[in-house]
Amino acid sequence: MLDQIRGLHHVTLMASDARRNNAFFTGALGLRRVKQTVNFDAPDVYHLYYADEVGTPGSVMTYFPFPNIGKGRPGVGEVGTTVYAVPRGSLGFWEGRLGDAGVAELARQERFGEQRLTFAGPDGEGLALVEVDGDTRAPWTHGGVPEDVGIHGFHSVSMRLRDGGATEELLGFMGYREVGRSGNLRRLALEHGNGADTVDIEVMPGAAFANLGGGSVHHVAFAVENREKQLEVRKALLDTGYQVTPVIDRDYFWAIYFRTPGGVLFEVATNEPGFDRDEDRAHLGDALKLPTQHEHLRSYLEQHLQPLED
């Protein structure tokens, strides 16, 4: 069993409109945009990152806003819901704030004894807030949300699968253990994670497979401390029979990718070097940052990328 995984690192989704996406996460949710850069493989498309003050692993939601992308079709083989942790007693505040902002599909729910508020993002993506006690991660306090109700970071992701057995086995190999069952739901968690250390599996045997589009999760990333730990994980996965990519430099972390038995794309990302490697912490996300290989496109991109704000 691996002991290098520290919980979630980031979750990456597809979006249809960069400006609307930015307004939702920095406005309605009050998160900080810690980076505006571009997709390595499609540099005319943003890659936007929203998180806490410094982009702490376990708090980072990222988006590829492809203009006019078709809407994703929900189904199995994907992450269906990304869940944030908020302080106990704060859901009333969030219900009012999100309702005033016109957020769709607001609903109260209880899962494994925890109170949740589920809702849809700007492209229909499944999101939720869950009340937790004792989360010491500091929320971003300059986004219009008071500190005592602010978002601490991720709580969990929930995956929809036709058969959860092989994925549960994989997560067990990654250091997760089952901590709860309820109907078709299985909950797995790390004992000493980074706070974003829970994965729920929803087993849906007869459901159709998801179709990637706006509002879909592209991949979910798990955190390791450094490149040395990442290489240990990569070797262990290869030895177990998984097809794993070489290490890829993503400027703010190093990444490896592999497809899970249930169809979900997993990434293992390093906590280093972080989002302040090319920007002062006071100005994270203010300027367009480009990968070195795309710097020659700056003048074109600055003219053609959709402005994120007035």
Side-chain angles (χ1 to χ4, degrees):
M1 185 177 73
L2 301 176
D3 62 3
Q4 297 91 342
I5 305 294
R6 291 292 174 262
L8 299 176
H9 186 285
H10 65 269
V11 181
T12 295
L13 296 89
M14 316 289 280
S16 60
D17 185 276
R19 191 183 184 108
R20 185 173 68 230
N21 182 263
N22 180 77
F24 179 82
F25 282 92
T26 63
L29 292 188
L31 298 173
R32 186 181 194 187
R33 188 183 69 231
V34 294
K35 196 64 60 181
Q36 54 170 314
T37 182
V38 296
N39 187 309
F40 274 83
D41 301 316
D44 57 343
V45 173
Y46 278 117
H47 193 177
L48 302 175
Y49 294 75
Y50 310 102
D52 62 7
E53 181 177 6
V54 297
T56 306
S59 74
V60 186
M61 184 80 99
T62 99
Y63 274 87
F64 301 134
F66 284 87
N68 304 312
I69 190 175
K71 185 174 176 60
R73 184 188 69 199
V76 294
E78 68 172 354
V79 170
T81 309
T82 305
V83 186
Y84 287 104
V86 294
R88 186 171 296 279
S90 65
L91 287 189
F93 166 87
W94 282 105
E95 197 165 23
R97 180 181 178 87
L98 297 179
D100 290 345
V103 173
E105 301 180 29
L106 281 169
R108 291 280 192 128
Q109 184 185 82
E110 182 176 320
R111 178 179 288 191
F112 295 109
E114 297 169 335
Q115 298 301 312
R116 296 156 55 99
L117 179 65
T118 61
F119 55 99
D123 281 285
E125 57 267 49
L127 300 170
L129 303 170
V130 61
E131 292 185 341
V132 298
D133 283 324
D135 194 326
T136 60
R137 296 176 293 170
W140 171 240
T141 57
H142 300 289
V145 175
E147 183 176 5
D148 61 348
V149 293
I151 292 172
H152 291 291
F154 292 135
H155 169 273
S156 59
V157 292
S158 181
M159 298 189 292
R160 295 188 289 247
L161 306 174
R162 278 190 172 178
D163 182 347
T167 300
E168 289 181 52
E169 185 176 344
L170 167 62
L171 287 166
F173 181 66
M174 293 170 61
Y176 286 77
R177 63 182 181 88
E178 184 177 297
V179 295
R181 279 185 182 232
S182 177
N184 66 335
L185 294 172
R186 309 286 185 269
R187 170 160 290 186
L188 298 95
L190 289 173
E191 188 172 357
H192 301 291
N194 59 9
D197 45 22
T198 300
V199 175
D200 287 348
I201 293 176
E202 184 177 6
V203 180
M204 304 171 66
F209 282 97
N211 186 35
L212 189 67
S216 300
V217 172
H218 185 271
H219 63 267
V220 57
F222 295 84
V224 292
E225 293 175 4
N226 52 45
R227 295 185 71 185
E228 178 183 0
K229 300 295 186 184
Q230 183 184 62
L231 289 174
E232 293 172 359
V233 171
R234 183 174 186 272
K235 182 180 185 303
L237 290 168
L238 287 169
D239 290 346
T240 308
Y242 285 94
Q243 301 297 310
V244 188
T245 68
V247 176
I248 302 172
D249 183 358
R250 295 305 194 195
D251 283 351
Y252 311 107
F253 47 87
W254 284 272
I256 58 174
Y257 303 86
F258 64 102
R259 186 73 61 179
T260 68
V264 180
L265 182 60
F266 275 12
E267 175 183 346
V268 178
T270 62
N271 290 350
E272 58 179 5
F275 294 96
D276 58 356
R277 66 171 293 274
D278 60 357
E279 278 184 304
D280 183 271
R281 286 191 176 186
H283 298 286
L284 289 179
D286 288 352
L288 177 65
K289 294 296 180 180
L290 298 177
T292 301
Q293 64 267 40
H294 297 319
E295 187 62 48
H296 69 285
L297 299 172
R298 176 171 292 277
S299 60
Y300 169 81
L301 294 174
E302 288 180 340
Q303 292 177 22
H304 288 83
L305 287 170
Q306 180 186 23
L308 297 177
E309 297 156 341
D310 293 329

